[in-house]
Amino acid sequence: MKEASKILKGKKFIKKEIEKKLGSEMCTEVWNLAHEKLDAMLEKYTGLPKGVEAHTHGFIFPAASIYLSLKEKAQSQAYEIMQNTMKEKSLKTGKSLARMTHIPGFKKFFLSMWDSMSRKLFGETSGFQNIFYPCPKGEFRMDITLCPYNKYLTETGCPELTKLFCENDVYSYGNLPGLKFTRTKTLGTGGDCCDFKMELIKK
């Protein structure tokens, strides 16, 4: 339970929205139940590789435990609460990145780091399978053909949350000045892969 408590401390932005929508008493009930569910998930999935664990423990399992708890206590509002909080947090990330694009050289740096970052954080050691494409200068492109978010959210009984994690990318990277993010399909919405393309906008 100690590890579950530590993980959920990082999800206070969701707890705030739950309290706002459902009141403090119901929020406490949901949060206590989320602790129990997260603790059970952590016990069930012990021994995951560190790269996979960064995603499961950091994002997947806490989101699943909170959402499943909300479904038990306030089913009609559960998905909306998760959708709104995840969207708001990702939009904040997008706004921060957008401000940084005004720093000279940042856009080229941001684009150039995607190859190494994707191989490290979203590669096989992290539970993903990818196709990395050779690209012209000023462009990065990959397909994700296997995703731990899709896998573990399905296994924990809430595959519909996968779509929200897919949307996070759009909110984070979809409105960056001088950069164009393109995605046409995702595993979480029934596609055969998640296609990902980032490119410098040519003037």
Side-chain angles (χ1 to χ4, degrees), residues 6-21:
K6 184 179 178 181
I7 291 171
L8 287 177
K9 276 185 179 179
K11 308 303 172 186
K12 286 183 179 178
F13 66 99
I14 305 178
K15 187 177 183 181
K16 273 184 167 183
E17 184 69 9
I18 295 172
E19 187 170 10
K20 179 182 173 183
K21 294 288 186 183

Side-chain angles (χ1 to χ4, degrees), residues 111 133-141 197-200 202:
L111 185 63
Y133 295 96
C135 297
K137 190 175 180 180
E139 184 179 305
F140 171 77
R141 184 177 160 226
K197 184 179 180 182
M198 182 77 76
E199 59 190 316
L200 288 170
K202 297 175 182 178

Side-chain angles (χ1 to χ4, degrees), residues 4 7-11 14 31 34-35 37-38 41-42 53-69 82 153 161 165:
I7 291 171
L8 287 177
K9 276 185 179 179
K11 308 303 172 186
I14 305 178
W31 214 247
H35 274 78
K37 290 185 182 297
L38 179 55
M41 289 177 197
L42 297 176
E53 198 174 271
H55 294 276
T56 55
H57 291 43
F59 304 99
I60 299 169
F61 293 159
S65 64
I66 295 167
Y67 175 62
L68 292 171
S69 300
M82 297 302 293
L153 287 170
L161 281 190
F165 281 102

Side-chain angles (χ1 to χ4, degrees), residues 85-143:
T85 52
M86 291 171 70
K87 178 180 179 179
E88 184 179 346
K89 189 166 182 64
S90 296
L91 284 172
K92 285 181 180 178
T93 299
K95 287 178 181 177
S96 295
L97 287 172
R99 286 193 294 270
M100 294 176 73
T101 61
H102 298 294
I103 299 171
F106 176 81
K107 290 188 284 291
K108 289 183 179 179
F109 166 76
F110 183 72
L111 185 63
S112 68
M113 76 177 189
W114 270 103
D115 187 70
S116 58
M117 186 183 74
S118 296
R119 292 175 191 274
K120 182 178 180 180
L121 300 180
F122 305 103
E124 289 188 12
T125 57
S126 297
F128 294 82
Q129 287 183 9
N130 318 68
I131 300 171
F132 293 97
Y133 295 96
C135 297
K137 190 175 180 180
E139 184 179 305
F140 171 77
R141 184 177 160 226
M142 73 170 176
D143 291 344

Side-chain angles (χ1 to χ4, degrees), residues 135-155:
C135 297
K137 190 175 180 180
E139 184 179 305
F140 171 77
R141 184 177 160 226
M142 73 170 176
D143 291 344
I144 293 174
T145 57
L146 184 68
C147 173
Y149 287 80
N150 197 39
K151 170 182 166 63
Y152 291 109
L153 287 170
T154 298
E155 288 184 9

